[in-house]
Amino acid sequence: VRLSLDWEMPRAFDDTSPHDHYGKLYRELTPAALKAKIAQIAQFHKHEAVTPRLRDGVRRVAVSSLPTAGKGTASWEGAPATFGVCERPCCKGRGRGETLEHLLHECPCVAGFWRLALEAWNSHTGESLDHRDARVTMLGDRLDDARACTEEPWRVLHAVAVDVIQTSWRSWKSCA
């Protein structure tokens, strides 16, 4: 296996790329700090308490490799009218694009789920994670609230939550 010695910014973290998902969320970081943050996020998704299947799910979110319709695909020639549109009950018929951000963070159904999950988390741990912060919901990045004593339960909770969101999304798509 041959690896490149030149590091390139992953497109999901490159705020100059049309495929950016997270770069804009970390715009305040220097290039070196962003590179370190990406390495830290990669380590989040390798926690031994999380099963391999769930680890793969959160890793796929971080590297933007979920099979969503993505940005701008609803206008593909020949695509059905509902292609690339969220089919969850809170969005059905509203034409909301099925982007990674919508799927895991912006959809009203998902935002409500994250609000309840993080309210419970915060009340039991004393942390103050914000369900409106995509860094928390999509990447599991607790920023300044991270504590060693809650790292393992957080990794498990985040991975399970992402899996539940993806499973429900697939279910709604198959029933649409």
Side-chain angles (χ1 to χ4, degrees):
V1 173
R2 212 173 141 172
L3 301 174
S4 172
L5 297 178
D6 295 327
W7 186 82
E8 286 186 38
M9 179 67 66
R11 68 184 181 133
F13 287 87
D14 182 355
D15 68 353
T16 64
S17 168
H19 305 289
D20 172 50
H21 295 287
Y22 312 113
K24 61 189 167 289
L25 303 175
Y26 292 101
R27 214 173 252 152
E28 79 282 357
L29 298 179
T30 65
L34 179 57
K35 187 175 178 181
K37 177 56 78 174
I38 293 169
Q40 180 188 38
I41 290 167
Q43 288 304 308
F44 292 163
H45 305 138
K46 294 180 181 179
H47 201 286
E48 61 192 19
V50 179
T51 66
R53 185 181 70 77
L54 294 178
R55 278 195 304 255
D56 186 55
V58 292
R59 180 196 57 78
R60 292 179 77 196
V61 170
V63 299
S64 179
S65 69
L66 282 181
T68 65
K71 299 175 181 176
T73 55
S75 62
W76 284 357
E77 187 176 324
T82 58
F83 183 74
V85 177
C86 183
E87 291 292 331
R88 289 186 175 122
C90 55
C91 296
K92 194 168 181 89
R94 295 188 179 150
R96 292 192 171 142
E98 192 177 65
T99 63
L100 188 63
E101 290 85 352
H102 184 81
L103 167 68
L104 291 158
H105 179 73
E106 297 168 353
C107 178
C109 295
V110 172
F113 171 80
W114 278 120
R115 183 182 54 77
L116 292 172
L118 293 182
E119 282 176 0
W121 174 265
N122 291 340
S123 71
H124 291 333
T125 64
E127 294 180 15
S128 56
L129 301 182
D130 186 351
H131 72 278
R132 295 166 300 206
D133 190 333
R135 295 171 296 185
V136 174
T137 59
M138 294 179 73
L139 296 171
D141 186 0
R142 295 188 291 164
L143 309 163
D144 296 331
D145 278 319
R147 294 185 296 167
C149 64
T150 58
E151 184 64 17
E152 183 172 301
W154 170 249
R155 292 294 144 223
V156 172
L157 173 68
H158 182 258
V160 169
V162 167
D163 186 63
V164 166
I165 292 166
Q166 290 179 39
T167 301
S168 69
W169 166 65
R170 283 189 209 89
S171 176
W172 284 110
K173 288 304 282 184
S174 67
C175 294

